[in-house]
């Protein structure tokens, strides 16, 4: 069987393989979407295809939508060429359960794939056509935290961002400038309303998206590339809205064992691809079953009936509570704390960390001990029940095959939200966060990770991170095995409110992190000994 529009016609073979097919006419949906796009998405990798694509698939199956999603990629164009086009924009969604079961289905909602690439004239014009269609209701994003970033840690603009500001909207490079350029086109061709929904793990992600787009737009206005009316258009919530959201679904890299099973069942061409941009992707996506998406219901040009596919449509306050619950306490901090230790202790898979006595204790101390007490119940689901599910069902799921290397990716972009917000909550309520133990231990391990040398003295490759080179240079000023060499080398990092949202020394935890860091660099084996000392045997 081939994953293609033609291949789907052999329904009996797919059924015998236990793979569900779309109940709607995929070719017809693709044609309707090309003619009248309503939903465009940037960042078309794994979590998008199985989660957001799965939402659209559910709505199409139930008759609540009659068009699919236009899939736009502004970073890794290989995804379009190697994963979308060869498979007629179809995807295989594989849900992995803790007991080893797999649920398999073909997702047909990904109607069109477009490169957001100015030097590809046809693709660029097609993107403009889609973006300026007055019927377009929503543009959503899963581009990771770094996709919204415009500046370095010292506050100066990143080189490509500065170039985008100076050169204007004709040939932007960065995703935020690309979006600003498309919005400028929409403004000049009728100024129809539109909603831009960030679905990334960023605190107040809608505001982050809005700020980045507006910053570029205002710089263009200064240079004569855009008019004042465009700025007013972006700032009018009845025209352009930037709702907040919270998203949650653990979606690891495609698994070799999933590929082998699909091939054994007769599905052809299921090879895993590693792009030049180091994206791990395949014609299939494997993920856990649990998923949460909470969106602030502000859509000035209308929207799909997302609630019919399990999306919580609510107000900003509820989104904020749900987001803080997940990102700052009940899931992301545990991932970000344990994964670096996993690399240091030679664990490849995250699920194995949940059987390590010290790391399991660290996870519980972070979640139940320090995070949960500062969480406000969002009212739509229980924070404790959410955390219980995370620690007993989701993170121990070995079949996810989620690697510590993947989770460490771009960690510098998330530590401020994942730990800084809880630290600030303690400071706000008690004047200091010096009573914290688990978070300082997490951050000490995070810094120790940037040596790229594990607890046995063997080198490993750091995961991609925009600050990896800078952070590695800082920690290596203190040689491993020489904790006495630590003076104030870490201060530029731990005092940097641009990273953590607060000066950690003023919060009462900076010195504590330094002390733990010194213990962990005392020699080989010191990481494990430090964990035992502070978490028990």
């Amino acid at each position: 069987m081939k994953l293609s529009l033609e291949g789907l016609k052999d329904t009996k073979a797919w059924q015998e393989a236990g793979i569900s097919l779309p109940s709607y006419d995929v070719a017809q949906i693709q044609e309707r979407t090309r003619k009248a796009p309503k939903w465009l998405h940037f960042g078309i990798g794994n979590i998008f295809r199985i989660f957001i694509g799965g939402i659209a698939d559910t709505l199409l199956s139930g008759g609540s939508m009659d068009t699919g999603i236009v899939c736009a990629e502004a970073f890794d164009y290989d995804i379009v060429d190697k994963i979308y086009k060869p498979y007629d924009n179809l995807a295989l969604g594989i849900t992995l359960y803790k007991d080893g079961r797999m649920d398999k289905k073909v997702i047909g909602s990904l109607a069109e794939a477009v490169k957001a690439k100015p030097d590809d004239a046809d693709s660029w014009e097609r993107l403009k056509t889609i973006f300026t269609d007055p019927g377009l209701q929503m543009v959503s994003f899963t581009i990771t935290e770094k996709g919204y970033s415009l500046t370095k840690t010292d506050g100066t603009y990143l080189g490509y961002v500065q170039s985008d500001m100076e050169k204007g909207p004709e040939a932007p490079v960065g995703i935020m400038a690309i979006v600003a350029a498309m919005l400028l086109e929409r403004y000049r061709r009728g100024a129809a309303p539109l909603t831009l929904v960030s679905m990334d793990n960023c605190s107040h992600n809608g505001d982050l998206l809005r700020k980045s787009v507006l910053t570029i737009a205002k710089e263009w206005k200064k240079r004569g590339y855009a008019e004042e009316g465009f700025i007013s258009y972006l700032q009018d919530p009845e025209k352009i809205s930037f709702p907040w959201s919270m998203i949650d679904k653990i979606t690891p890299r495609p698994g070799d064992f999933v590929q082998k099973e699909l091939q054994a069942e007769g599905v052809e061409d299921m090879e895993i691809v590693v792009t030049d941009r180091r994206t791990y992707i395949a014609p299939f996506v494997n993920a856990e079953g649990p998923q949460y998406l909470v969106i602030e219901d502000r859509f000035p040009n209308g929207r799909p009936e997302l609630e019919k596919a399990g999306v919580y449509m609510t107000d900003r306050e509820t989104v904020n509570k749900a987001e803080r619950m997940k990102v700052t306490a009940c899931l992301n901090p545990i991932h970000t704390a344990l994964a670096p230790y996993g690399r240091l202790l030679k664990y490849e898979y995250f699920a194995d960390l949940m059987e390590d006595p010290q790391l399991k204790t660290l996870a519980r101390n972070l979640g139940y001990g320090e995070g949960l007490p500062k969480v406000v119940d969002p009212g739509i689901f229980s924070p404790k029940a959410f955390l219980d599910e995370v620690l007993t069902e989701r993170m121990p799921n070995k079949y996810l095959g989620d690697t510590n290397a993947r989770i460490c990716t771009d960690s510098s972009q998330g530590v401020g939200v994942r730990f800084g917000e809880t630290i600030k909550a303690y400071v706000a309520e008690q004047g200091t966060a010096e009573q914290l133990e688990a978070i300082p231990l997490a951050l000490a391990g995070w810094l120790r990770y940037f040596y790229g040398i594990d607890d046995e003295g063997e080198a490993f490759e750091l995961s991609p991170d925009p600050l990896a080179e800078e952070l590695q240079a800082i920690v290596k000023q203190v040689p491993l095995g020489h904790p006495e060499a630590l003076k104030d080398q870490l201060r530029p990092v731990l005092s940097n409110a641009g990273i953590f949202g607060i000066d950690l020394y003023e919060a009462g935890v900076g010195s504590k992190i330094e002390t733990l860091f010194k213990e962990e660099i005392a020699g080989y084996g010191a990481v494990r000994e430090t964990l035992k000392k502070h978490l028990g045997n």
Side-chain angles (χ1 to χ4, degrees), residues 181-193:
M182 290 298 112
L183 286 167
L184 182 58
E185 289 287 335
R186 188 171 180 87
Y187 165 71
R188 288 174 173 170
R189 298 192 199 180

Side-chain angles (χ1 to χ4, degrees), residues 145 148 197-208 243-249 292-296 312 314-334 371-372 374-383 386 390 394 413-422 424:
E145 293 99 329
Y148 306 93
V197 188
S198 168
M199 296 179 179
D200 281 297
N201 285 321
C202 314
S203 185
H204 304 168
N205 47 20
D207 284 354
L208 186 59
W244 295 1
S245 75
M246 184 279 272
I247 189 171
D248 180 28
K249 186 178 182 73
Y292 300 83
L293 181 58
V294 186
I295 302 177
E296 180 186 1
Y312 296 89
T314 184
D315 55 56
R316 174 166 288 199
E317 181 180 0
T318 302
V319 174
N320 188 44
K321 291 175 181 177
E323 183 266 335
R324 287 182 63 87
M325 178 206 73
K326 181 243 178 180
V327 176
T328 71
C330 295
L331 191 146
N332 295 89
I334 299 170
L372 203 57
K374 300 304 176 187
V375 166
V376 178
D377 192 334
I380 51 177
F381 39 72
S382 159
F386 183 94
V390 163
R394 300 174 64 186
Q413 306 300 288
V415 289
V417 173
R418 294 165 190 179
F419 301 117
E421 292 301 310
T422 296
K424 287 191 287 186

Side-chain angles (χ1 to χ4, degrees), residues 18 155 191 223 235 267 290 325 336-337 389 392 399 406 441 465 503:
R223 293 169 169 82
Q235 292 178 323
V267 187
M325 178 206 73
T336 303
E389 182 184 57
T392 62
Y399 292 95
R406 183 198 75 85
L441 189 58
D465 189 303
D503 182 326

Side-chain angles (χ1 to χ4, degrees), residues 49 64 66-67 114 117 158 197-198 211 342 390 419 442 444-445 480-481:
R49 290 188 294 154
S64 297
D66 61 2
T67 57
V114 180
K117 190 177 182 184
L158 294 163
V197 188
S198 168
K211 179 181 178 182
V390 163
F419 301 117
L480 275 176

Side-chain angles (χ1 to χ4, degrees), residues 160-432:
Y160 72 88
V161 173
Q162 185 67 45
S163 178
D164 282 342
M165 290 174 171
E166 292 172 355
K167 293 180 179 179
E170 291 305 311
V173 173
I175 176 64
M176 292 295 97
I178 289 170
V179 173
M182 290 298 112
L183 286 167
L184 182 58
E185 289 287 335
R186 188 171 180 87
Y187 165 71
R188 288 174 173 170
R189 298 192 199 180
L194 188 64
T195 296
L196 282 74
V197 188
S198 168
M199 296 179 179
D200 281 297
N201 285 321
C202 314
S203 185
H204 304 168
N205 47 20
D207 284 354
L208 186 59
L209 173 57
R210 181 180 186 272
K211 179 181 178 182
S212 295
V213 170
L214 264 172
T215 296
I216 291 170
K218 289 177 179 178
E219 290 293 330
W220 285 349
K221 177 183 173 294
K222 288 180 186 177
R223 293 169 169 82
Y225 294 119
E227 48 270 44
E228 180 61 38
F230 176 51
I231 307 301
S232 299
Y233 172 67
L234 295 179
Q235 292 178 323
D236 182 354
E238 297 303 314
K239 285 289 189 178
I240 302 295
S241 68
F242 298 88
W244 295 1
S245 75
M246 184 279 272
I247 189 171
D248 180 28
K249 186 178 182 73
I250 298 173
T251 309
R253 292 172 175 173
D256 291 336
F257 74 100
V258 177
Q259 176 191 349
K260 291 174 182 176
E261 175 155 333
L262 291 172
Q263 290 175 331
E265 291 169 345
V267 187
E268 302 174 41
D269 303 324
M270 289 290 106
E271 286 75 18
I272 297 170
V273 171
V274 183
T275 70
D276 290 342
R277 295 274 192 162
R278 296 183 66 187
T279 301
Y280 288 73
I281 197 163
F284 63 90
V285 186
N286 43 248
E288 64 173 348
Q291 59 186 37
Y292 300 83
L293 181 58
V294 186
I295 302 177
E296 180 186 1
D297 198 357
R298 288 198 298 135
F299 288 77
N301 206 30
R303 63 169 175 81
E305 295 179 285
L306 299 168
E307 59 272 24
K308 290 187 175 180
V311 180
Y312 296 89
M313 303 304 298
T314 184
D315 55 56
R316 174 166 288 199
E317 181 180 0
T318 302
V319 174
N320 188 44
K321 291 175 181 177
E323 183 266 335
R324 287 182 63 87
M325 178 206 73
K326 181 243 178 180
V327 176
T328 71
C330 295
L331 191 146
N332 295 89
I334 299 170
H335 263 155
T336 303
L338 268 61
Y341 278 116
R343 299 300 307 278
L344 294 170
L345 298 174
K346 291 183 174 295
Y347 287 111
E348 182 178 2
Y349 297 106
F350 188 87
D352 293 331
L353 308 186
M354 302 308 292
E355 296 181 359
D356 182 284
Q358 286 81 44
L359 296 181
K360 185 176 181 179
T361 298
L362 178 58
R364 295 182 64 84
N365 291 353
L366 279 166
Y368 294 114
E370 295 181 355
L372 203 57
K374 300 304 176 187
V375 166
V376 178
D377 192 334
I380 51 177
F381 39 72
S382 159
K384 184 180 183 302
F386 183 94
L387 181 57
D388 290 343
E389 182 184 57
V390 163
L391 293 178
T392 62
E393 297 293 327
R394 300 174 64 186
M395 287 183 171
N397 185 344
K398 292 179 178 293
Y399 292 95
L400 282 175
D402 204 3
T403 65
N404 293 307
R406 183 198 75 85
I407 295 170
C408 285
T409 300
D410 299 333
S411 60
S412 70
Q413 306 300 288
V415 289
V417 173
R418 294 165 190 179
F419 301 117
E421 292 301 310
T422 296
I423 291 169
K424 287 191 287 186
Y426 278 89
V427 172
E429 292 182 16
Q430 302 174 37
T432 181

